[in-house]
Amino acid sequence: MNIRIELTYKTPKGTETIFSSDIMRAEKAILIAEDLEKNGRAKNLMFVDGHETTWSMKDLKKYMKGIETEPHNATVYFDGGFDLGTKRSGLGCVIYYEQNGKSFRLRKNALVGELNTNNEAEYAAFYLGLQELELLGVHHLPVTFIGDSQVVINQLLGEWPCVEDELNRWADRIEVKLEQLGITPEYNTVSRKKNREADQLATQALKEIEITSTMELGHEQ
């Protein structure tokens, strides 16, 4: 979960001002807040999440402890490719997540034949990532989705119009699944180079190379 710290700071002579930090991971915010509290000059310290909900130190620590054994801090990279010659699509997704104090990477791809455009393949790859999150048991948590498709990202953000019926249906399906899982999405667009893992998975799917793997980072499973 990404949050910011807000507090009132008081100097030894009694001058006060209000500070608001940059947005950061909750784990980092807790460490910084604990250090600030040591000098005794930070007052009214609270944490604010992306929904502008405020958390006390006690409540945030309790929440973080509660999700420790579940997959959390998930980031999904997705990519889809469409082969005009064969009318087939390759889908790829890579999910980074944490669980029980360890970090993992999940890779999954799929070959499908019922799509008609590259944009549909990109949406389908996004949905593949959602299905994998559901299988992992990720729910009622923020998740970051990263792809190189400006069409998908900007349409899901509502910044670009979605006039094609097929893409509208994909967007609706994604919104329904996000709501079912209680996932709060954050969207980021990157270059294809920075989306290399998901792009490679999509390409391998088109070559009928099936990939399904989970690795603890630093230790292959």
Side-chain angles (χ1 to χ4, degrees):
M1 178 166 65
N2 291 324
I3 58 175
R4 69 179 187 272
I5 304 170
E6 290 192 355
L7 59 89
T8 301
Y9 187 85
K10 185 176 181 179
T11 68
K13 293 184 178 181
T15 303
E16 292 185 353
T17 189
I18 296 174
F19 282 104
S20 180
S21 76
D22 293 332
I23 295 172
M24 65 188 80
R25 286 290 190 185
E27 298 91 340
K28 180 179 178 181
I30 289 172
L31 290 174
I32 292 173
E34 286 177 334
D35 189 66
L36 286 167
E37 285 186 333
K38 287 179 182 178
N39 64 27
R41 295 177 188 170
K43 300 194 307 179
N44 304 322
L45 191 150
M46 66 181 69
F47 305 93
V48 185
D49 64 24
H51 297 287
E52 295 300 312
T53 301
T54 58
W55 300 70
S56 67
M57 177 78 81
K58 180 181 178 181
D59 288 341
L60 185 59
K61 284 185 174 181
K62 183 179 179 181
Y63 171 79
M64 296 303 294
K65 184 68 176 177
I67 67 171
E68 191 175 274
T69 59
E70 301 178 4
H72 60 282
N73 283 349
T75 298
V76 180
Y77 289 82
F78 69 94
D79 194 49
F82 177 70
D83 189 316
L84 187 60
T86 63
K87 301 293 185 181
R88 298 192 301 179
S89 299
L91 317 179
C93 70
V94 183
I95 303 176
Y96 290 90
Y97 64 97
E98 297 173 16
Q99 187 173 14
N100 294 319
K102 299 178 180 179
S103 299
F104 297 90
R105 182 190 68 187
L106 180 153
R107 298 191 301 153
K108 174 71 176 179
N109 69 358
L111 178 66
V112 296
E114 67 270 18
L115 308 178
N116 298 305
T117 67
N118 192 74
N119 284 334
E120 281 188 73
E122 293 280 8
Y123 266 106
F126 187 108
Y127 195 77
L128 176 66
L130 273 179
Q131 290 176 311
E132 292 302 310
L133 288 174
E134 185 173 22
L135 290 172
L136 273 175
V138 177
H139 61 91
H140 296 91
L141 290 170
V143 175
T144 301
F145 295 90
I146 300 175
D148 56 54
S149 171
Q150 292 194 33
V151 171
V152 171
I153 297 297
N154 285 306
Q155 287 181 346
L156 290 175
L157 281 169
E159 294 180 357
W160 286 11
C162 187
V163 296
E164 298 93 339
D165 290 340
E166 287 298 328
L167 300 190
N168 261 317
R169 281 191 280 270
W170 276 111
D172 289 344
R173 186 184 302 179
I174 286 168
E175 288 179 6
V176 168
K177 180 61 72 174
L178 287 169
E179 186 173 350
Q180 287 175 348
L181 298 177
I183 288 175
T184 303
E186 177 182 324
Y187 303 113
N188 288 322
T189 305
V190 295
S191 66
R192 171 163 290 190
K193 183 178 180 180
K194 292 185 178 180
N195 199 30
R196 186 178 301 158
E197 283 187 298
D199 177 68
Q200 183 180 23
L201 286 168
T203 300
Q204 288 174 314
L206 285 170
K207 295 177 180 178
E208 300 186 9
I209 301 171
E210 183 179 348
I211 305 291
T212 301
S213 70
T214 300
M215 173 189 294
E216 180 183 341
L217 297 185
H219 300 85
E220 233 182 282
Q221 295 186 334

